Every structure is written in C-alpha cells, then in structure tokens.
Amino acid sequence: MPADRPPRTIPELVALKRAGRRIVMLTCYDATFARLLVADGAVDVLLVGDSLHQVVAGRETTLGATLDQMIYHAGAVRRGAPDALVVVDLPFLTYQVSVEEAIRNAGRVLAETGAQAVKLEGGAPMVATVRALVQRGIPVVGHLGLTPQSVHAMGGYRVQGRETHAAERLAAEAQMLEDAGACALVLELVPSALAARVTADLAIPTIGIGAGAGCDGQVLVMHDMLGLVPDFSPKFLRRFAELAAPVRAAVREYAAAVRDGSYPAAEHGFE
Ligand code: KIV
C-alpha cells in the first residue's frame, strides 16, 4: 500500500501496525461529513458508531439503536466516501442472542451498505461469535474496556481495568479476540499502561479512545472533536475545533437577515 494514502482493505489496515503508522479513525454518520472527512486523505477509517443514537438521535445511551438505522447511516457514509474503509457497529441485541443472528445481521450490514467490517462489544462471551463471523468472511473489530452497550451493568461511563484482576481479564480477552480472528480492537476508557501492554502483546492494531498514546491508533466521536457538543468535556477529549459558536453565529445572522429583509437579495431570486 502506498504510504501516502489511507488503507482501502482490512489487510491494509492491519499492515499499518507492522509499518508503525498510527491509525486515524473517526466516527461518521452521514454522506456530507463522510465526504469532508476523507477529502484530504487524513482519516484511515470511518466508524459508523452506534453513538449515533446519542449524537444524532439525542438519546442517553447507545442501547436503542437498531440494525436498520445503522444500515441507513452506513449506506449514507459509503455513498459520501466510496473508497473509504468503513466499519459499522452492530447494535445492542443484534449479535448477542445467537451466533446465527449475528451472522445474518452482520452479513446484512456488509451486503446492504458496502462497509468492510463490523464492530462488536465484549470479550470471552463473544469469542465464538467473532470466530463464526470471521470464518464466514465477515471482518470483525472487537471492543473492550468501557463497552457502552453494557453501561448499566458497568454502573456508568467509567474507566475499566484499573484493578489487577480486571486488567488481567482484559488482556486475556484481547488475546482471545485476536485468536478468534478479530482484525482490530477498540480499547475504550482503559488505563494507558494497560492499553500499551495489550498493544504490545497483540499482532492486530489497537485503536484507543481514552486509552492513552500507547495504542496503534485513536478514535474520537466526530461531533466531540469538532467542538459541536460544548458541554461534553471528558478528560480524554481534545477538541480540534470549536464549531458550536460559528454554527450559532451563522444561524443568528441568517435569522437577522430574514427578519430585516436583506435575505434573500435580488440576486438570489429567479427571472
Ligand atoms: O459508537 C461509537 O462511536 C464507538 C466509538 C466511541 C469507539 O464505539
């Protein structure tokens, strides 16, 4: 793969780890932003996260996202970024009930959206599912640490793996997911030292969010890193822009122009 372009296949993504090139992942939920995110070749992977249920739909948790919603948004992202590597979250209860349902649902995501991989949450209980999907040609990204679909069991959005036994379990489950065939692993809200250790132990890339600089790549929710959600400021987040203020200013200016009659002007009308 040329070093100057983003990966287009799952093997190319995995090869970035061997090449020592850090992986850049961002969430994306629509065609307009997909087009913008890939325009400069800066982003390696677009993740259609089930965080869309919070960011786009305004819900408290990711739990209510449906497969049809994920497919709708993933299709939009694919149309906006036809060459991009697109990973789609399998939503809650679309892969936990049975391996058969997981295959059918993950297969639908790939077949109906053109995405290259699915992501699912969980460790040991998901190993058989990951293996079954991979054996059927469906690439899988794992997700350990804070797994938002388990937010109620975890008692909130808290750092995971601080205690020795929890750290050992997470490290063991990371290895199990790799052995089952996962092509990459998201580590969310995990102590930096533990994430670095898991990253060193695995051949597949780790992609961190609140997991420190020792991961092979990083992922952020696009709306958060663009500063569109000004009252959301977790410790791990860096805002790379403050877009809420210019959006509000533009809307105020539009409203004023409509009210004072300066918009639309003559040149905006038709003969
Ligand atoms: O749903 C999502 O956006 C995610 C990322 C935060 C990793 O899973």
Side-chain angles (χ1 to χ4, degrees), residues 20-247:
R21 202 177 106 191
R22 288 208 170 95
I23 295 166
V24 179
M25 181 187 269
L26 269 180
T27 68
C28 189
Y29 315 108
D30 67 53
T32 300
F33 271 110
R35 218 170 281 124
L36 285 174
L37 296 191
V38 300
D40 299 312
V43 174
D44 293 313
V45 187
L46 299 178
L47 171 66
V48 186
D50 58 358
S51 53
L52 73 83
H53 205 54
Q54 298 166 296
V55 180
V56 177
R59 306 284 184 150
E60 279 294 313
T61 73
T62 62
L63 291 175
T66 68
L67 192 69
D68 286 339
Q69 289 164 353
M70 298 306 297
I71 287 173
Y72 173 84
H73 286 273
V77 168
R78 166 55 74 218
R79 287 188 290 281
D83 296 329
L85 204 47
V86 175
V87 177
V88 183
D89 267 342
L90 290 179
F92 183 56
L93 284 193
T94 63
Y95 60 95
Q96 294 96 335
V97 175
S98 72
V99 171
E100 287 74 14
E101 277 191 38
I103 295 168
R104 196 175 318 283
N105 291 331
R108 268 194 69 195
V109 170
L110 262 56
E112 295 179 31
T113 71
Q116 289 95 333
V118 295
K119 177 165 82 60
L120 57 78
E121 299 179 5
M126 286 302 127
V127 165
T129 303
V130 172
R131 185 173 294 112
L133 292 173
V134 173
Q135 284 175 345
R136 284 155 182 84
I138 300 172
V140 179
V141 175
H143 186 154
L144 291 176
L146 185 276
T147 45
Q149 293 174 15
S150 303
V151 61
H152 297 309
M154 290 177 162
Y157 296 96
R158 303 161 188 277
V159 175
Q160 302 294 312
R162 279 198 165 123
E163 305 79 16
T164 307
H165 70 277
E168 292 309 316
R169 192 176 65 222
L170 189 147
E173 291 188 317
Q175 190 61 61
M176 286 179 211
L177 291 171
E178 171 168 306
D179 294 344
C183 62
L185 179 63
V186 167
L187 293 173
E188 181 165 358
L189 293 191
V190 169
S192 302
L194 174 59
R197 170 188 156 193
V198 169
T199 301
D201 286 350
L202 296 186
I204 59 171
T206 60
I207 300 172
I209 174 165
C215 295
D216 296 304
Q218 298 293 324
V219 58
L220 284 174
V221 169
M222 183 195 67
H223 291 60
D224 298 341
M225 60 79 74
L226 290 179
L228 286 163
V229 194
D231 50 358
F232 182 63
S233 304
K235 185 174 190 287
F236 66 81
L237 176 64
R238 175 168 158 198
R239 292 202 193 101
F240 290 81
E242 295 291 349
L243 295 190
V247 167

